[in-house]
Amino acid sequence: MCIRDRFIGSSVALITPMFDDGVVDYDALNQLIDFHIDAGTTAIVSVGTTGESATVGVKEHLKIIDHTIKYSSQRIPIIAGTGANSTSEAIDLTKEAKRLGADACLLVTPYYNKPTQEGLFQHFKSIAESVAIDQLLYNVPGRTAVNMTVETTARLAEIDNIIGIKDATGDLSVIKQLVKKCPEDFLLLTGDDATAVDFLISGGHGGISVTANIVPKELQKVYLAAISGQSEKAIELNSKILKLHKNLFIESNPIPVKWALHKMGKCGKGIRLPLLELSNEFKSIIERDLKELNLT
């Protein structure tokens, strides 16, 4: 199996379940891991944006990754979120993820400090050269205030252990350019649920999804249909969860998805400041979506 094939299809940007006081609930995490293995999810991303990487400390970040790897026991690939806005910190996190046994690492573009395109290239190049583990780039300008261009991505794609990108721009012109300019075996993953089907139809290989937290089995069917060229089937299947794609971002991610999983009985309501529990005005919207999908 080639590198790319391991990550084709629907992977989940897994939440980090917490008790009401914000303490990580490892029993609930175990249940979520089993839930995704049973559903046929392609891979789990541990402590990415949806996993609240911004509010866990470094030791806790690595503890969650370590627990996820050990509990999954090679039953599903684990992609560790190890990005940082400091290159040295990202290298340290990536080294530790490799030591813990992660299958790959997901590295977000440095946030807040707004590097140039050459700065982005040198950042990711340094990490790749420092740690011999498969690495996925992650471009999400709506979160980071920096957009990595297709040209920079294509340069990075020439580095052996940079195996792909999670593109969460939601801009479908980007996937078309990536297909043209990146090597054929460079993994193109969507990080935008609302446009995922069009992304996959346009040449994408899979995605890392928030919606997959809620309907992993159903989303995998959507993705595999789109990837295999069954466009009409993918669109039809996706139509049943379109509202969920939209409403899981009715407030900042992961606020709505954590509330949805709580209502499904899969975790508590815990979330860490500065994020709060879903606002009362939106709870009925999420609960309606779940009811329509027979999830509550």
Side-chain angles (χ1 to χ4, degrees):
M1 179 183 292
C2 74
I3 289 171
R4 191 187 73 184
D5 290 345
R6 291 184 300 154
F7 301 117
I8 285 177
S10 171
S11 297
V12 62
L14 192 65
I15 70 152
T16 298
M18 299 172 182
F19 295 106
D20 290 353
D21 60 1
V23 173
V24 175
D25 182 348
Y26 286 97
D27 288 336
L29 179 56
N30 292 345
Q31 293 173 26
L32 289 172
I33 293 167
D34 287 335
F35 175 54
H36 285 285
I37 291 169
D38 292 343
T41 295
T42 295
I44 287 172
V45 171
S46 178
V47 204
T49 303
T50 309
E52 294 178 74
S53 57
T55 57
V56 297
V58 172
K59 289 183 179 179
E60 189 176 33
H61 186 128
L62 293 171
K63 181 180 177 181
I64 296 165
I65 291 171
D66 185 35
H67 181 93
T68 302
I69 291 168
K70 285 178 177 174
Y71 184 78
S72 64
S73 190
Q74 299 185 331
R75 293 178 292 160
I76 186 171
I78 305 299
I79 302 169
T82 59
N85 58 353
S86 160
T87 304
S88 60
E89 182 180 340
I91 289 171
D92 289 344
L93 285 170
T94 305
K95 284 180 177 177
E96 283 299 298
K98 179 188 176 184
R99 183 183 66 81
L100 294 171
D103 294 280
C105 288
L106 179 69
L107 292 137
V108 69
T109 51
Y111 41 88
Y112 187 76
N113 48 20
K114 300 177 75 171
T116 63
Q117 293 302 309
E118 185 61 25
L120 288 171
F121 176 79
Q122 294 298 335
H123 170 80
F124 288 116
K125 178 174 179 284
S126 294
I127 301 166
E129 290 176 346
S130 299
V131 194
I133 188 173
D134 292 337
Q135 298 173 24
L136 294 162
L137 310 171
Y138 179 17
N139 190 34
V140 56
R143 287 270 187 175
T144 63
V146 62
N147 180 49
M148 186 162 62
T149 65
V150 171
E151 288 72 24
T152 301
T153 302
R155 287 179 69 195
L156 289 165
E158 299 296 331
I159 298 172
D160 286 346
N161 60 327
I162 296 180
I163 65 168
I165 185 170
K166 174 185 176 182
D167 177 77
T169 61
D171 181 352
L172 292 172
S173 69
V174 171
I175 176 61
K176 294 172 184 176
Q177 295 177 62
L178 288 170
V179 168
K180 289 181 181 178
K181 296 185 178 183
C182 292
E184 188 176 343
D185 63 349
F186 190 69
L187 193 68
L188 303 176
L189 305 177
T190 178
D192 184 69
D193 284 306
T195 59
V197 168
D198 289 330
F199 181 101
L200 297 172
I201 290 171
S202 298
H205 306 117
I208 297 172
S209 167
V210 175
T211 304
N213 279 280
I214 309 301
V215 285
K217 186 179 295 185
E218 292 79 0
L219 197 64
Q220 186 68 285
K221 291 177 181 177
V222 171
Y223 277 31
L224 294 180
I227 294 164
S228 65
Q230 301 176 72
S231 303
E232 291 184 7
K233 179 180 178 181
I235 292 168
E236 180 184 355
L237 291 170
N238 195 51
S239 68
K240 299 173 184 177
I241 52 177
L242 274 175
K243 286 192 292 185
L244 198 59
H245 292 323
K246 175 185 176 183
N247 292 333
L248 287 179
F249 293 88
I250 203 165
E251 284 190 330
S252 297
N253 178 49
I255 293 172
V257 70
K258 291 196 92 171
W259 176 257
L261 285 165
H262 166 64
K263 296 305 294 184
M264 291 168 65
K266 295 191 177 297
C267 65
K269 296 185 290 184
I271 196 165
R272 289 191 180 174
L273 287 169
L275 301 182
L276 296 170
E277 179 184 308
L278 186 66
S279 299
N280 288 332
E281 63 185 293
F282 297 129
K283 288 179 179 176
S284 61
I285 295 173
I286 297 297
E287 290 166 16
R288 180 200 63 207
D289 290 346
L290 296 177
K291 187 174 182 180
E292 288 178 0
L293 292 167
N294 297 314
L295 297 174
T296 57

